[in-house]
């Protein structure tokens, strides 16, 4: 029996040109991380001791007082919020989500996004009440001050390409105002490179994904103040038990953090920029297709290629091209967050040079097919929106599911 999962279970291979997306496995796990995980998988360890050692690594890398590992960033959000509701009171931890006392958690309305699930749901799972602050495109100091005046157990700030950046309260202002009211701030920045700034600004807890840019296994790194981290870790005796991190997650995150410390980030950046330059050359002069380099939305040191489609000239919509690429074997998954604006993005950070060449060739091939066959511009954006629910509900775990 083969140990290749793609052959053994007839899985479709994917070329990931979308970045670090959970729905296709987030990132390639580094060899050193895999070696550490493999060693711990065949062994036993005291989990409290392991988490304590993880806290020391997290503190060193982030500058925080302490740290712990959660199973994923969504779980970390729930557990840190729960910690703000219970502290280290074991009886309250066991009583969640039903506890008396302050339960309000403030969240800028423009940060109330869906990262694959609603972010406010991760907060509500702890038994908290989500209080939106401001409006979707405007969060001002007086909006936050007014919400703080009503009392709060915590406030959450999200750094993500999903959030509304227009009239957003800067992180430092948000944290300062909350600290003036003695309200702890939880910063969720799962996919961000910066591991130190929120702690320097005074955040009580900061959440980073262990399996996105860090290239570890599925996990979340929680860094922050000693008291809040302790209360966060203690949630494994309550609601955290349903989302516990295994030994492989903890060791994988620790190894990924230490590798991040040693990584030659400048060399990695040059490799990625060479791929971007290659795409810019290979995809130039396509009818109805405009190519441009694009800096990361939140300031991460990464450049992507933005592809903008003019449907009348190109003969197809951006979402039709994305679907054709995804339907190939191997499947080519592009970044399509803004596809309704006729924009696609190519991310260079999670693929090989060989794969980058395959991506360029596939885009040209599919564009030529649309023009030759004249079968583009058949599906409007309204059709896409209507079909999404059916696609989601089409998943089946039945024994007769198509391979």
């Amino acid at each position: 029996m083969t140990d290749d999962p793609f052959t053994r279970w007839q899985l479709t291979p994917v070329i990931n040109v979308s970045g670090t997306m959970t729905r296709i496995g987030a990132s390639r796990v580094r060899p050193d991380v895999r070696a550490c995980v493999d060693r711990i998988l065949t062994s036993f360890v005291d989990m409290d001791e392991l988490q304590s050692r993880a806290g020391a690594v997290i503190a060193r890398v982030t500058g925080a007082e302490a740290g712990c590992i959660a199973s994923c960033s969504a779980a970390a959000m729930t557990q840190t919020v729960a910690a703000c509701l219970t502290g280290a009171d074991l009886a309250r931890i066991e009583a969640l989500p039903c506890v008396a006392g302050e339960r309000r958690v403030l969240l800028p309305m423009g940060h109330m996004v869906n990262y694959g699930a609603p972010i406010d749901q991760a907060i509500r799972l702890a038994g908290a009440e989500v209080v939106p602050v401001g409006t979707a495109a405007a969060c001002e100091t007086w909006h936050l001050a007014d919400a703080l005046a009503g009392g709060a157990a915590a406030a959450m700030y999200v750094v993500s390409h999903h959030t509304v950046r227009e009239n957003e309260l800067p992180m430092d202002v948000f944290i300062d105002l909350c600290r003036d009211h003695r309200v702890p701030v939880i910063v969720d920045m799962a996919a961000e490179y910066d591991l130190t700034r929120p702690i320097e600004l005074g955040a009580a807890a900061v959440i980073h994904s262990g399996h996105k840019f860090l290239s570890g296994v599925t996990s979340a790194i929680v860094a922050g103040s000693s008291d809040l981290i302790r209360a966060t870790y203690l949630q494994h005796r309550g609601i955290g038990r349903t989302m516990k991190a295994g030994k492989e997650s903890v060791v994988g995150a620790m190894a990924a953090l230490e590798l991040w410390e040693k990584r030659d980030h400048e060399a990695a950046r040059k490799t990625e920029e060479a791929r971007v330059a290659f795409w810019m050359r290979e995809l130039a002069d396509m009818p109805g297709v405009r190519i441009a380099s694009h800096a990361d939305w939140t300031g991460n040191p990464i450049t992507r290629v933005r592809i903008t489609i003019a449907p009348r000239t190109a003969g197809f919509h951006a979402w039709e091209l994305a679907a054709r690429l995804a339907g190939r074997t191997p499947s080519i998954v592009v970044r399509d967050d803004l596809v309704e604006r006729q924009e696609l993005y190519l991310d260079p950070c999670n693929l090989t040079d060989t794969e980058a060449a395959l991506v360029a060739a596939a885009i040209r091939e599919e564009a030529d097919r649309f023009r030759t066959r004249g079968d583009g511009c058949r599906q409007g954006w309204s059709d896409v929106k209507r079909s999404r629910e059916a696609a989601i509900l089409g998943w089946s775990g039945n024994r007769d599911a198509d391979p």
Side-chain angles (χ1 to χ4, degrees), residues 47-65:
M47 291 300 294
D48 288 340
E49 180 183 69
L50 179 59
Q51 283 275 13
S52 179
R53 300 294 186 272
V57 173
I58 294 167
R60 184 183 74 242
V61 176
T62 66
E65 292 177 358

Side-chain angles (χ1 to χ4, degrees), residues 388-400:
R388 280 186 175 176
E389 181 180 5
I392 293 168
L393 295 176
W395 181 88
S396 171
N398 298 336
R399 62 183 179 182
D400 58 348

Side-chain angles (χ1 to χ4, degrees), residues 5-6 14 30 42 105 114 117 215 231 244 263-264 313 382:
F6 291 94
V14 173
R30 302 259 170 181
T42 59
V105 175
N114 190 308
S215 300
K244 61 188 175 186
R263 188 181 301 183
D264 187 339
T313 305
S382 295

Side-chain angles (χ1 to χ4, degrees), residues 2 20 41 70 82 114 194 197 205 254 281 309:
T2 178
T20 55
L41 282 173
N114 190 308
D194 188 351
R197 182 170 177 262
M254 294 167 71
R281 293 192 303 271
I309 307 298

Side-chain angles (χ1 to χ4, degrees), residues 103-170:
R103 302 158 69 93
R104 287 163 40 104
V105 175
L106 311 184
L107 177 67
M109 188 176 287
H111 293 190
M112 195 175 289
V113 296
N114 190 308
Y115 55 89
I119 202 163
D120 57 301
Q121 184 180 53
I123 298 170
R124 288 186 282 108
L125 280 170
E129 174 195 351
V130 179
V131 178
V133 179
T135 62
C139 186
E140 304 291 354
T141 53
W142 58 87
H143 295 142
L144 180 56
D146 183 63
L148 287 165
M156 184 170 288
Y157 191 94
V158 181
V159 182
S160 168
H161 67 282
H162 292 296
T163 62
V164 179
R165 309 302 298 277
E166 183 181 351
N167 285 321
E168 181 183 54
L169 263 186

Side-chain angles (χ1 to χ4, degrees), residues 91-287:
R92 289 176 67 84
I93 287 170
E94 290 184 357
L96 282 178
C98 302
V99 293
E102 182 61 76
R103 302 158 69 93
R104 287 163 40 104
V105 175
L106 311 184
L107 177 67
M109 188 176 287
H111 293 190
M112 195 175 289
V113 296
N114 190 308
Y115 55 89
I119 202 163
D120 57 301
Q121 184 180 53
I123 298 170
R124 288 186 282 108
L125 280 170
E129 174 195 351
V130 179
V131 178
V133 179
T135 62
C139 186
E140 304 291 354
T141 53
W142 58 87
H143 295 142
L144 180 56
D146 183 63
L148 287 165
M156 184 170 288
Y157 191 94
V158 181
V159 182
S160 168
H161 67 282
H162 292 296
T163 62
V164 179
R165 309 302 298 277
E166 183 181 351
N167 285 321
E168 181 183 54
L169 263 186
M171 187 193 299
D172 58 338
V173 175
F174 188 90
I175 291 174
D176 285 346
L177 284 171
C178 289
R179 291 181 75 186
D180 288 345
H181 287 76
R182 297 184 179 180
V183 172
V185 174
I186 301 164
V187 177
D188 170 52
M189 49 192 306
E192 306 306 308
Y193 278 60
D194 188 351
L195 299 179
T196 60
R197 182 170 177 262
I199 293 296
E200 292 169 353
L201 292 176
V206 186
I207 298 164
H208 304 278
S209 171
H211 57 280
K212 292 188 182 290
F213 288 123
L214 288 173
S215 300
V217 297
T218 303
S219 58
I221 292 133
V222 188
S225 65
S226 295
D227 288 346
L228 186 54
I229 293 300
R230 181 165 172 257
T232 298
Y233 179 60
L234 288 175
Q235 299 304 317
H236 75 279
R237 296 181 172 274
I239 61 172
R241 183 72 176 178
T242 65
M243 50 190 82
K244 61 188 175 186
K247 57 190 178 184
E248 66 279 6
S249 294
V250 181
V251 164
M254 294 167 71
L257 274 173
E258 291 189 337
L259 281 173
W260 185 260
E261 284 185 292
K262 302 172 185 175
R263 188 181 301 183
D264 187 339
H265 295 281
E266 187 59 35
R269 181 79 188 272
K270 287 180 179 178
T271 298
E272 292 170 0
E273 288 186 338
R275 290 178 191 140
V276 168
F278 169 78
W279 285 329
M280 295 289 289
R281 293 192 303 271
E282 291 297 308
L283 299 176
D285 302 322
M286 295 173 63

Side-chain angles (χ1 to χ4, degrees), residues 283 285-291 307-325 334 339-344 360-381 384:
L283 299 176
D285 302 322
M286 295 173 63
V289 179
R290 186 168 74 251
I291 308 297
I307 301 175
T308 306
I309 307 298
R312 290 185 179 179
T313 305
F316 55 88
H317 292 295
W319 48 85
E320 292 175 317
L321 176 58
R324 290 279 180 92
L325 292 170
V334 299
V339 70
E340 71 275 12
R341 288 166 36 174
Q342 300 290 354
E343 292 178 5
L344 300 173
I363 290 173
R364 277 198 170 275
E365 184 177 313
E366 295 299 345
D368 289 343
R369 283 178 177 169
F370 275 119
R371 286 190 292 273
T372 301
R373 298 175 181 176
D375 58 354
C377 293
R378 301 281 180 85
Q379 186 183 44
W381 181 239
V384 174

